[in-house]
Amino acid sequence: MDKEVLIPRLRTYLFNPKFTAITIPVRDFVQRAPDGWFHPSTHPLWPERMLYYYLSDPTRLLSEAPDINFVLAVTQGSFWHYFVQPCLLDMGLLRVVNPQAEHPWEKVEKYVSDPRLHSHGSTDGIINSDNIKPLNEDEVFEFKTMAVAKMSGCPRGAPDDPDRLGWWRVKNPGYYAQTQEYMRMSGLRFTRVLIMGIQSPFPMIELQVPYSFGEAAKVADKYAHVIQAVADRTLPLPCCNKGSKEAQQCPARQVCPVGLGQV
């Protein structure tokens, strides 16, 4: 796909906005408690030993207090999610997957799971290919907000341009891994990513990220190894060295022998 399909439609829609009034919530700022499941937005890049403790001894994992920039960025990002998703829904660009949901953003967010690997999450939506003629199949939809300065590093090109996709994978590895997990669990083979700058003039970037069986398989195999290691009570190999910066900052430093300085 060599053309943007979301940005021109969204910009045209906003030039003549027809959305009805909605109440956008500011939710409690709480970190998700461990629930025994791997989450696409958090865990794909964690090493096996950290995942082992996440499953076997989650109450002893440490979390750093968020700084003010993080709090404001997440809060602002949530607002733009709750605004953009209803706009795309109003245009028929996202499928309604939860028709009984109360809020428009809840109507489009698709829950996906892999119980065998204890992995689950919710996408920002599913692209409705019936209403976008150039598309031959539905795609996962992901919306991200980003500082304009960071966006400036993205090469120019089409949504599927290899240089753009390389930028996405190298500069945003967690987001890339997240999209791969959503595709692995949903069975869809492309993710349409819409990135919007959080300062005027609110630039946008559109990417079409293809499914990588190899990358997805690495994460799936890692999860399987960890689940089996917990069942066998076999600690995976260390992922850092005693006294290293990684060991000092690791969430498992109060339970892992490396973090405790024992090995």
Side-chain angles (χ1 to χ4, degrees):
M1 174 57 59
D2 61 356
K3 293 182 179 180
E4 297 171 338
V5 298
L6 295 182
I7 291 178
R9 289 172 169 84
L10 180 57
R11 289 197 177 279
T12 300
Y13 177 88
L14 293 175
F15 271 112
N16 183 26
K18 298 179 180 179
F19 55 83
T20 57
I22 57 174
T23 299
I24 295 178
V26 177
R27 303 194 184 280
D28 297 344
F29 195 92
V30 293
Q31 294 186 342
R32 179 170 48 214
D35 60 1
W37 287 76
F38 300 128
H39 297 267
S41 62
T42 305
H43 299 115
L45 300 184
W46 281 26
E48 288 192 15
R49 181 172 285 204
M50 194 184 304
L51 292 171
Y52 176 92
Y53 287 120
Y54 170 75
L55 289 186
S56 65
D57 203 357
T59 61
R60 298 181 67 183
L61 292 182
L62 302 176
S63 58
E64 302 297 332
D67 64 26
I68 185 173
N69 290 331
F70 179 78
V71 172
L72 292 175
V74 170
T75 303
Q76 181 175 231
S78 296
F79 165 82
W80 285 114
H81 270 79
Y82 296 148
F83 175 75
V84 169
Q85 286 168 304
C87 291
L88 298 178
L89 175 62
D90 192 37
M91 288 185 283
L93 303 184
L94 295 180
R95 290 198 181 277
V96 176
V97 296
N98 305 302
Q100 303 304 318
E102 177 182 1
H103 301 294
W105 50 88
E106 295 172 338
K107 293 180 183 292
V108 300
E109 293 181 349
K110 174 68 174 178
Y111 174 78
V112 294
S113 69
D114 181 350
R116 182 180 69 87
L117 295 180
H118 298 189
S119 181
H120 70 176
S122 292
T123 73
D124 289 333
I126 301 297
I127 296 292
N128 185 358
S129 60
D130 294 340
N131 293 337
I132 305 178
K133 290 184 179 180
L135 298 185
N136 297 317
E137 57 187 305
D138 287 1
E139 301 176 349
V140 174
F141 171 66
E142 277 298 299
F143 177 73
K144 302 296 182 186
T145 54
M146 191 175 291
V148 174
K150 186 176 182 181
M151 293 175 65
S152 65
C154 180
R156 294 182 178 274
D160 60 354
D161 182 273
D163 290 337
R164 294 192 120 198
L165 296 178
W167 168 83
W168 176 248
R169 180 175 179 178
V170 172
K171 297 299 184 180
N172 305 277
Y175 289 159
Y176 176 81
Q178 179 185 19
T179 60
Q180 294 300 324
E181 271 292 274
Y182 284 145
M183 287 186 281
R184 181 181 69 82
M185 291 188 286
S186 69
L188 299 177
R189 290 302 172 252
F190 291 96
T191 295
R192 183 75 48 167
V193 181
L194 178 62
I195 308 168
M196 190 182 78
I198 54 177
Q199 300 98 12
S200 180
F202 303 100
M204 298 182 189
I205 293 172
E206 184 173 331
L207 303 173
Q208 187 189 41
V209 182
Y211 180 61
S212 169
F213 178 82
E215 293 297 324
K218 289 178 184 178
V219 174
D221 289 346
K222 178 169 59 176
Y223 288 168
H225 294 161
V226 170
I227 292 169
Q228 189 60 53
V230 172
D232 297 339
R233 297 185 179 182
T234 303
L235 191 62
L237 293 173
C239 48
C240 61
N241 299 314
K242 181 175 68 173
S244 65
K245 181 179 179 180
E246 291 79 10
Q248 295 170 3
Q249 298 178 348
C250 179
R253 60 185 179 274
Q254 288 193 347
V255 61
C256 176
V258 176
L260 293 170
Q262 296 175 354
V263 294

